[in-house]
Amino acid sequence: MSEWQKSGWRSKPRVQMPDYTDAEALNAVEAQLAKYPPLVFAGEARRLKKELAAASRGENLIGAFFIFLVFGFGVAASILAFAYGSRKALAARKDRLQAVARYGKPLFGGALVLVGAMILTRLDKAVEAWMLEAMPRWLVELTTRF
């Protein structure tokens, strides 16, 4: 396995990535993003990987639980920081969001009940099989590759 490099993603096949015609703007955005700290640090990811492997073998399940818990809190903290940062944007659109929620809540609730019923009756497997047959081969390969 080769050594990890920050720009290693550039050598991977580009399936759903747009072509950026303004290279200067792209470089400016990449430079700005490079200044931000990572959401997940490499050491955390390596430890999580080791604990996941141990848990899959039935070893140190309590330790794995706590590692996953700490990892989850770390990710949640990043998401919460983003959420609090966007509070002003949400406040500006409060009336519109409340109007959407009036209809969205019952729709999402009904969808949740429907999906739950499909899972309990195993109808979801039939729908999944039908969708896999209906999808083009390239899409099936793309969504199941990783």
Side-chain angles (χ1 to χ4, degrees):
M1 183 180 285
S2 63
E3 190 69 24
W4 182 86
Q5 295 178 358
K6 194 182 270 190
S7 62
W9 62 271
R10 293 183 188 278
S11 65
K12 304 289 184 200
R14 294 173 25 154
V15 181
Q16 294 182 326
M17 189 170 159
D19 290 321
Y20 296 105
T21 55
D22 189 349
E24 188 176 313
L26 176 62
N27 290 336
V29 169
E30 287 179 352
Q32 181 66 34
L33 290 174
K35 294 177 186 176
Y36 297 134
L39 290 177
V40 178
F41 294 96
E44 293 174 341
R46 282 192 290 273
R47 183 157 185 204
L48 185 63
K49 184 177 177 182
K50 287 179 186 174
E51 291 296 331
L52 181 59
S56 71
R57 294 187 303 266
E59 303 169 3
N60 195 15
L61 295 177
I62 294 173
F65 167 77
F66 284 111
I67 293 298
F68 278 95
L69 189 67
V70 169
F71 183 79
F73 280 130
V75 173
S78 299
I79 292 170
L80 285 173
F82 175 75
Y84 284 120
S86 62
R87 182 182 268 175
K88 187 175 184 180
L90 290 174
R93 295 168 180 83
K94 182 180 178 183
D95 294 335
R96 176 76 176 129
L97 290 172
Q98 285 178 336
V100 170
R102 187 173 331 140
Y103 302 104
K105 280 175 140 178
L107 286 174
F108 282 120
L112 183 63
V113 169
L114 178 65
V115 169
M118 289 175 64
I119 291 170
L120 289 174
T121 60
R122 297 189 156 282
L123 184 59
D124 64 315
K125 302 297 181 192
V127 171
E128 180 182 7
W130 173 80
M131 289 176 73
L132 285 172
E133 289 295 321
M135 284 194 305
R137 188 79 199 138
W138 66 266
L139 185 57
V140 173
E141 289 175 5
L142 174 70
T143 57
T144 58
R145 182 180 306 158
F146 303 105

